[in-house]
Amino acid sequence: MKVGVPKEVKNHEYRVAITPIGVHELVAHGHEVVIETQAGAGSGIPDDEFHAAGARILPDPDSVWGEADMVLKVKEPVAEEYQRMREGLTLFTYLHLAADKPLTEELLARRVTGIAYETVQSPSGALPLLYPMSEVAGCLAPQVGAHALLKAQGGSGVLLGGVGGVANAKVVIIGAGVSGQNAANIALGMGADVTLLDTDLDKLRMSFWRYNNQVHGMASSKLAIEQHVTQADMVIGAVLIPGAAAPKLVSNELVSRMKPGSVLVDIAVDQGGCFEDTHPTTHADPTFPVHNSIFYCVANMPGAVPFTSTYALTNATMPYAVALANKGWEQACRDDASLALGLNTHAGALTNAPVGAAVGIDAVSVESVLGA
């Protein structure tokens, strides 16, 4: 199979979908890898390293997309890339279609086989290809939130850790999954007073032991969210329903009652966000005001730390990419039920029910596409 890796074009997206180790692995299995020049530069991987591992370097994205049987990416295609998609192409990347009806329609119209990292799901319910970037986004959230809290950035001027005689900042994290737990870990390390909200009591019990009861674990409800958010200096939204649009848990009216200069960081923005006023922003222009609060809603947060993110992501994705290249998408999905759940589109059909519910398009079952 010919595997193509274009350079990412999203605003300040420095990650790349493969490393030289991944190239070497694919080539060792008899596949050809073509990579757009400078695709790895943002992650500190020069063309020479890809070439030494066995890749062929191409001068432009049209060449990469045009030659490839399967395209590996990090982020979902944006409008300028739509015309490069074609029937028969397998696209393996983050898609986040529940929050992107135009892309969903393009994939269907162009009859692309779209396999989404974020909906590959193990029998335990874990999301192995989302996990590493959830870790990174969770770790970043308190850092970017602390920056936005600076008075010069429009925040309240509260120091997360406080000092002797002055209260620590109150950080409220909604969602105790992978990103929420990592956010709690960093916020606690920065000295904040941290509260973690979730409806899953087992996750809260785990955080009790993990943080030696230093993080306040609270059962989440509409009233609990209201009580804690209105007292918070920083709110981190870390709610995820696999494949589906994130629930809106913090209303505009609730934000109007928050402390002036408070900051809200929405990690769930890729899935539409869990705050009513969330809309995607970029690293170039990351924040916007809502009432007297500051929203940070960058849709590719891990792109800010590409060295860590690229290697963490490709460690997880490459075994699946090799399986897809070795067997073809259809047999690879038949052999691996976890990978099959990643199938979102094929030959004009939508194959993910939560996405269909979010974008208003009827979905068919993965089984109907894969047959026996």
Side-chain angles (χ1 to χ4, degrees):
M1 182 180 286
K2 189 173 289 187
V3 180
V5 182
K7 184 177 181 179
E8 298 294 323
V9 297
K10 197 158 190 168
N11 180 278
H12 286 265
E13 180 51 73
Y14 302 109
R15 290 172 289 179
V16 63
I18 202 168
T19 61
I21 293 171
V23 171
H24 185 272
E25 187 73 9
L26 285 166
V27 171
H29 281 85
H31 307 294
E32 184 178 355
V33 181
V34 294
I35 300 178
E36 184 182 351
T37 185
Q38 298 297 302
S43 295
I45 307 173
D47 288 350
D48 288 349
E49 289 190 21
F50 283 130
H51 184 264
R56 184 157 55 91
I57 308 301
L58 297 182
D60 55 65
D62 289 334
S63 302
V64 173
W65 286 83
E67 287 197 25
D69 303 306
M70 176 170 68
V71 167
L72 300 182
K73 288 183 89 284
V74 176
K75 290 303 293 176
E76 71 282 352
V78 297
E80 69 183 80
E81 297 174 299
Y82 289 171
Q83 50 87 21
R84 298 182 182 121
M85 300 191 296
R86 67 182 191 280
E87 184 172 0
L89 179 73
T90 298
L91 175 63
F92 191 35
T93 186
Y94 287 119
L95 288 175
H96 296 292
L97 297 183
D100 197 341
K101 186 173 182 178
L103 175 59
T104 306
E105 292 173 335
E106 287 288 339
L107 289 167
L108 297 177
R110 296 174 186 275
R111 302 176 67 82
V112 173
T113 299
I115 303 174
Y117 294 160
E118 74 276 4
T119 62
V120 173
Q121 188 169 16
S122 67
S124 69
L127 303 168
L129 306 189
L130 188 62
Y131 193 107
M133 295 303 92
S134 295
E135 288 182 296
V136 173
C139 289
L140 279 173
Q143 296 184 41
V144 299
H147 181 71
L149 273 173
L150 299 177
K151 195 68 175 179
Q153 303 302 315
S156 61
V158 174
L159 180 66
L160 230 59
V163 293
V166 182
N168 302 22
K170 294 185 181 297
V171 175
V172 173
I173 302 166
I174 306 174
V178 176
S179 56
Q181 292 280 353
N182 278 274
N185 187 49
I186 298 300
L188 185 65
M190 295 175 77
D193 180 345
V194 183
T195 298
L196 194 56
L197 296 168
D198 203 290
T199 56
D200 188 332
L201 296 182
D202 286 336
K203 290 179 180 177
L204 296 178
R205 291 180 182 118
M206 181 179 70
S207 70
F208 179 92
W209 296 109
R210 179 177 182 179
Y211 302 117
N212 196 28
N213 199 26
Q214 292 179 290
V215 169
H216 314 297
M218 302 296 296
S220 185
S221 66
K222 184 175 181 180
L223 181 58
I225 290 172
E226 180 177 345
Q227 290 173 338
H228 288 282
V229 165
T230 52
Q231 297 301 311
D233 298 293
M234 183 192 305
V235 177
I236 297 172
V239 178
L240 174 71
I241 300 174
K248 303 296 185 184
L249 301 178
V250 177
S251 68
N252 177 279
E253 187 277 330
L254 181 54
V255 174
S256 73
R257 293 188 277 129
M258 290 181 67
K259 295 179 182 179
S262 55
V263 170
L264 297 95
V265 180
D266 199 340
I267 298 175
V269 60
D270 279 324
Q271 295 294 121
C274 55
F275 308 147
E276 182 180 355
D277 294 287
T278 289
H279 63 75
T281 61
T282 66
H283 289 291
D285 187 17
T287 63
F288 58 91
V290 176
H291 297 297
N292 294 312
S293 298
I294 303 296
F295 275 50
Y296 179 102
C297 303
V298 173
N300 59 328
M301 287 176 64
V305 286
F307 183 88
T308 298
S309 296
T310 286
Y311 284 91
L313 178 60
T314 56
N315 286 343
T317 59
M318 284 315 301
Y320 293 94
V322 171
L324 288 165
N326 285 348
K327 302 175 181 181
W329 73 269
E330 194 167 2
Q331 191 60 49
C333 288
R334 284 176 176 164
D335 291 349
D336 186 343
S338 299
L339 181 60
L341 292 174
L343 186 67
N344 278 214
T345 65
H346 172 66
L350 182 64
T351 56
N352 184 290
V355 169
V359 300
I361 298 174
D362 291 337
V364 302
S365 69
V366 171
E367 292 77 13
S368 70
V369 173
L370 295 177

